[in-house]
Amino acid sequence: MNLSDVFMISLLALLLLSGISACLTKNLLVSFIIFMAYSVIMSVVWALLQAPDLAITEAAVGAGISSVLLFITLKKLRDIQKRSEDEKT
Amino acid sequence: MLQTLWENRIQCVAVLIFAVGFSTLLLHRNLVKKIIGLNIMDTAAYLFLTSIGYIRGRLAPIIVGTDTDPSHYANPLPAGLVLTGIVVSVSVTALMLALTIRLYDQYHTLNLDEIYYMALREQEGGQ
Amino acid sequence: MSFSVNFPLFCIVGSLLTAVVSSVLGDRWARRVCMAMVSVVAVLNGVLLGYLTGLGRSVSYTMGHYPHPWGNELTLDSLEALVSVVFSLVLLLCLLGGKAQLQRDLGDRKRNLYYVMAALVQTSLLALVYTNDVFTGYVFIEICTIASCGLLMIRQIGRTTLASVRYMIFSLIGSGLFMLGVVFLYNITGHLLMPELKQTLADLWQSGLYRAPLLTGMSLITIGLAIKSGLFPFHFWMPDTYGYATPSSAGILSGLVSKGYIFLLLKLIFRAFGTQVFYGAGIHHILYLLGVIGMVVGSVSAIREDDIFRMVAYSSAAQIGYIYMGIGISPDLGVTAAVYHILTHAITKPALFLASAQLTDGAGGSKRFRELQGAAYSNWVAGLGFSVGALSMIGLPFTMGLIAKYLFARAAFQSELKMIPTLVVLGISTVLNTLYFARTILRLYNRPKRKLAKPCPVRRQIPYAVSALVLSGMNLLLGIVAQPLISMIEQGLKQF
Amino acid sequence: MKKHNWKQILRQWDEGRFDLTMALPEQTEPDHAGPDLPYRWDRRDRVRALERRELRLFERMYPWLSALLCVVIVLWLFWAVAELPAFGDPQAPAHNQVMERYVGRGTQETGAVNTVAGVILDYRAFDTLGESHVLFAAATAVLVLLMAAGKEDGEYRRELAIMHTESILRNTVRVIVPVVLLFGLYVMFNGHLGPGGGFSGGAVLGAGLILYAISFGFDAIERFLNFRSYRATVLVSLCFYSLAKCYAFFCGANHLPVIFSAGTPGRIFSAGLILPLNLAVGLIVACTMYGFYSVFKRGRI
């Protein structure tokens, strides 16, 4: 087992860890951030697997655009919540 | 068997992540968490697919110079398929998130079962 | 080679262009363009059907300069052409028949977007029917999912949003499993094109190599498509989805989209897995069992409903059970019956949904049976359409339903193990169908004590009347002269 | 045991309230619910109470259920994975004559040095044609959903005012955005020569646009990308894509030569249709990504 294998295995362990914790975390914001980390790790794994096209795309789409959409959604949800609370009072 | 599983460790990790995403998508009640589960499930399938294309000691399938010997490069087909898949999954994510916003706007909760009961009550009240 | 083999390509690309162009057109023009495109597709496929029936073998059409196993391909044969003709005709009639409700249910600004979604559904159905490539199947399954979700949630009341979320979740689970199944099969064969896949899988099955991944891949694909088409334990999204969508969408989703997935599954069984491998692996027993349970459970749920749309939706779940039961019985007669039932259901169910919409509109918008009493008198076309559809679902003579049941029974005699259960369940299911459809028909033709609602103006009804009469006519015609259709299906299955 | 009143059952069947549980003795009915009291324990109430209890139970069972499901799937798939060809093995069945032709003759046949681009835009172009329409379908669906939310959400203007005071952020973005856009364009134009292509380039470009919109506001971006130009770009790119590919498919199937030649591999203007297709795809992806952001943020593009 050489160094690159060790690197790969540690990345895989991180990937698994972040995947599970993104699903199990209660706080949505934390969960999104972990998901972003998951995407970045995934793109590194793909770069190591000799698929540079995928690494670029995943970094831009998974870590970039998906996460931005998730954050805006969260923002929207909070706005709606605030509005409805305002209406109540 | 354990030997093969250790050799195919990337596939094993992909399977584990797939199962985590799948059960989140199926069983979690929070809609946004379901969407995260969906994304994780999809990327796990793509990881599995990408790992098929890798061949030990070979380079990415971008031709260097005039060297077109297939035994020097990795398999380009899985990468192409995954590229397609990633775009599909980001579209689906955007659609699901839009649905979430609409649903939250109407029912003020993300818990799907609560929403279902509210809708049921609404329907009975309307009669 | 005749020029008509190019028609599927033109149909697919033409529908894609229609979808894109409709998104910038106004409401009326989007509607016209979309309807024109769907009719052209029906005609072109009809011509192709004629050509292929005469040819008597299947043709593979390369998409580009590279034949299989390198490039994408389509396969054309008479069964596929037949199915696409029926699908496009029904799509056209759905759009036509639900026009009045579409104008009511859709907002002013996005009516053209409805036709965008309809054209995308048309494209993906054509691609699913004609494709010769497993991964193309996956991509177009996704288009189909998104477009059908669009058709569903475009009527924006709370329930449809909720229904589309549930629909999407089930569909996405299905496509995730389908994708993983494709990955497994690719891993052990290295092919995505169906002819090579079939060859390699047959060799692997013979040699016993990679048995576990092979079984896993096949079952994942089957489960994925079963979830998407709403087989028994996965049918919970159906009543909400079909019950609250605008009637055209309900017709398209129940009659066409779920059938498209089932047809893709059939195609995979015959062209990609090979019947020997698939039926040798024993996956069909599970499909048979789930189908049989679904037939009974769907009907029982339908009896308990007092909302006419949800009742028809639950009946849809039962009919999906019939189709899977046919697939489970045997690869020749059973599948013939299943394909015939796919066509029956594609013709009948939209008619039922459209008629229910007309009837409830006539009765002041209530979907309850109590208010529907005597509704057929204020709208006799809808009453007729509903009755023909319902009688066909029960399986009365001179309708397609009876022929389908006869075919299922004929197939059942082939298999010793499954003969008794099939016949018993067919009997039970017929009784249950009669219970809920007869009740509805009695209601509709039972004069209420209070005064009847005024008949709605004739002019607004013309599009619906045309569609209802054509659908009922098709149902009766194909029910009375069924033999040509059955022999066409049998011939098509031989070429598969 | 309740005595069945057949007339009543018949009536219930007729009214669509037929229920097989009617045959069971009704234990859940409260004792006080006599005919003279206004409250009646309805069947719906019974069902709802039952479902609520189920819901609570499910809430408690969720972690266990999901763990169980997870374990079942994992075991099933592990059983399959254990028989798969070893990872990285050059003899694996996936690396067969298909892959050999893609790598060995791909450059010569398609003109693309990056064989992945050659595969998705030439050999398997039909998939990719479908894929760009997935994006289109999703964008349309999102537009339908969030446009209906009605009046424009003015919230983002307030945020923008806060942004204006954050000069560090704005100045950073001012430096970064041109680099991001340039990189996106490079990846797009270079798709047939190196890693990248329409999808990745378009995604980077879209991310750059989003970054610009976040810090400078939509007004700044509407100078060059408003709803009209968005629709025009998507329309033209998709139509070009469909028509060009339709032409190529038609020629291929009927064994006609195409007018686009593969050119000299390695040159920027080579690889026939691949470069224009990459550009079209890139524009579609960039516009759609920005469109998603804009619709989510303010309900319109």
Side-chain angles (χ1 to χ4, degrees), chain D residues 215-274:
Chain D
S215 48
F216 291 93
F218 288 106
D219 296 335
I221 238 174
E222 275 191 354
R223 276 184 307 214
F224 58 92
L225 188 62
N226 54 19
F227 191 45
R228 285 180 73 90
S229 55
Y230 165 85
R231 284 206 304 194
T233 318
V234 171
L235 180 75
V236 170
S237 316
L238 277 175
C239 287
F240 167 72
Y241 195 157
S242 300
L243 289 174
K245 251 12 263 194
C246 182
Y247 168 73
F249 292 154
F250 179 77
C251 291
N254 295 292
H255 308 291
L256 304 170
V258 267
I259 52 169
F260 310 102
S261 71
T264 322
R267 304 282 281 274
I268 181 86
F269 291 112
S270 66
L273 267 176
I274 291 182

Side-chain angles (χ1 to χ4, degrees), chain C residues 70 72 133 136 156 435 439, chain D residues 13-14 83 102 124 127 148:
Chain C
W70 292 284
N72 288 123
D133 186 309
T136 311
Q156 285 181 337
L435 268 177
R439 167 186 81 199
Chain D
W13 167 68
D14 183 41
E83 272 193 39
Y102 287 161
R124 304 182 56 85
D127 288 356

Side-chain angles (χ1 to χ4, degrees), chain C residues 3 6 9-10 12-13 16-17 19-21 23-24 61-66 69-72 74 109-110 113 116-117 120 127 133 135-136 139-140 143 146 153-154 156 180 184 186-193 210-213 215-216 219-220 223 300 303-306 369-370 435 439 443, chain D residues 13-21 43-44 47 76-77 79-81 83-85 93-94 96-98 101-102 109-110 122-127 129-131 133-134 136-138 140-148 231 234-235 238-239 242-243 246 248-254 256-258:
Chain C
F3 186 74
N6 292 307
L9 170 67
F10 295 157
I12 290 172
V13 176
L16 281 179
L17 284 176
V20 176
V21 171
S23 71
V24 295
Y61 183 85
T62 27
M63 299 292 265
H65 288 81
Y66 314 100
W70 292 284
N72 288 123
L74 304 178
R109 289 166 67 197
K110 53 196 185 216
L113 299 184
V116 174
M117 295 299 173
L120 284 171
D133 186 309
F135 199 76
T136 311
V139 173
F140 281 92
I143 296 190
I146 293 178
M153 57 68 187
I154 206 159
Q156 285 181 337
L180 198 64
F184 268 100
Y186 177 71
N187 200 343
I188 56 172
T189 60
H191 289 291
L192 291 168
L193 271 292
Y210 300 137
R211 185 58 63 89
L215 285 177
T216 312
S219 21
L220 285 176
I223 296 172
V300 170
I303 292 180
R304 294 173 55 166
E305 267 312 323
D306 56 353
F369 287 122
R370 207 189 298 262
L435 268 177
R439 167 186 81 199
R443 269 278 167 196
Chain D
W13 167 68
D14 183 41
E15 283 171 5
R17 294 192 290 114
F18 189 70
D19 185 359
L20 295 182
T21 55
R43 182 175 68 97
R44 283 179 192 283
V47 171
W76 181 25
L77 294 181
W79 171 63
V81 168
E83 272 193 39
L84 285 180
N96 52 8
Q97 81 270 25
V98 181
R101 173 152 175 186
Y102 287 161
E109 282 175 345
T110 67
D122 206 341
Y123 290 104
R124 304 182 56 85
F126 188 39
D127 288 356
L129 180 64
E131 180 197 358
H133 285 85
V134 172
F136 169 71
T140 314
V142 169
L143 200 63
V144 171
L145 270 172
L146 294 185
M147 268 237 288
R231 284 206 304 194
V234 171
L235 180 75
L238 277 175
C239 287
S242 300
L243 289 174
C246 182
F249 292 154
F250 179 77
C251 291
N254 295 292
L256 304 170
V258 267

